[in-house]
């Protein structure tokens, strides 16, 4: 997990070679995905951000649907690869 987080930090400092990111995420979506990447579950994310558990689930599902991803793991991997996290 530590290596993954370090890799994420390194990627944050790099610009994507293809220019702007292909997708824009709201700050709330980025916050939720960052905590998800750190291993928090839905209830813990809700408590951390002072949102309802239902809202957190909705945010995650909206990102998955909008980006045409398969699941939460795919969403985290995608945003890491895109340099968003």
């Amino acid at each position: 997990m530590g290596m993954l987080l370090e890799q994420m930090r390194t990627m944050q400092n790099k610009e994507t070679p293809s220019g702007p990111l292909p997708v824009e995420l709201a700050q709330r979506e980025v916050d939720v995905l960052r905590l998800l990447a750190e291993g928090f579950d839905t209830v813990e994310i809700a408590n951390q951000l002072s949102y309802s558990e239902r809202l957190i689930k909705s945010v995650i599902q909206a990102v998955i649907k909008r980006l045409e991803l398969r699941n939460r793991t795919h969403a985290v991997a995608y945003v890491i690869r895109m340099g968003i996290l």
Side-chain angles (χ1 to χ4, degrees), residues 36-53:
L36 198 59
E38 290 179 14
F40 287 87
D41 66 20
T42 307
V43 173
E44 293 170 326
I45 295 170
N47 290 335
Q48 186 84 14
L49 298 177
S50 299
Y51 294 133
S52 70
E53 183 180 356

Side-chain angles (χ1 to χ4, degrees), residues 18-85:
S18 59
L21 296 174
V23 65
E24 277 199 36
L25 296 175
Q27 187 59 48
R28 178 175 17 195
E29 293 169 332
V30 172
D31 293 340
V32 169
L33 290 168
R34 179 171 286 120
L35 291 173
L36 198 59
E38 290 179 14
F40 287 87
D41 66 20
T42 307
V43 173
E44 293 170 326
I45 295 170
N47 290 335
Q48 186 84 14
L49 298 177
S50 299
Y51 294 133
S52 70
E53 183 180 356
R54 184 174 181 93
L55 177 67
I56 299 304
K57 289 179 181 179
S58 295
V59 167
I60 294 168
Q61 287 305 311
V63 169
I64 289 170
K65 185 176 180 178
R66 189 170 75 239
L67 302 180
E68 299 177 0
L69 304 171
R70 291 184 210 125
N71 52 41
R72 295 167 175 232
T73 305
H74 193 191
V76 169
Y78 179 83
V79 295
I80 290 172
R81 262 195 324 269
M82 293 296 114
I84 297 169
L85 287 184

Side-chain angles (χ1 to χ4, degrees), residues 1-13 33-40 76 80 85:
M1 183 60 88
M3 288 174 42
L4 177 62
L5 291 174
E6 184 58 37
Q7 189 175 25
M8 288 173 24
R9 285 186 196 99
T10 302
M11 290 174 67
Q12 279 181 333
N13 297 330
L33 290 168
R34 179 171 286 120
L35 291 173
L36 198 59
E38 290 179 14
F40 287 87
V76 169
I80 290 172
L85 287 184

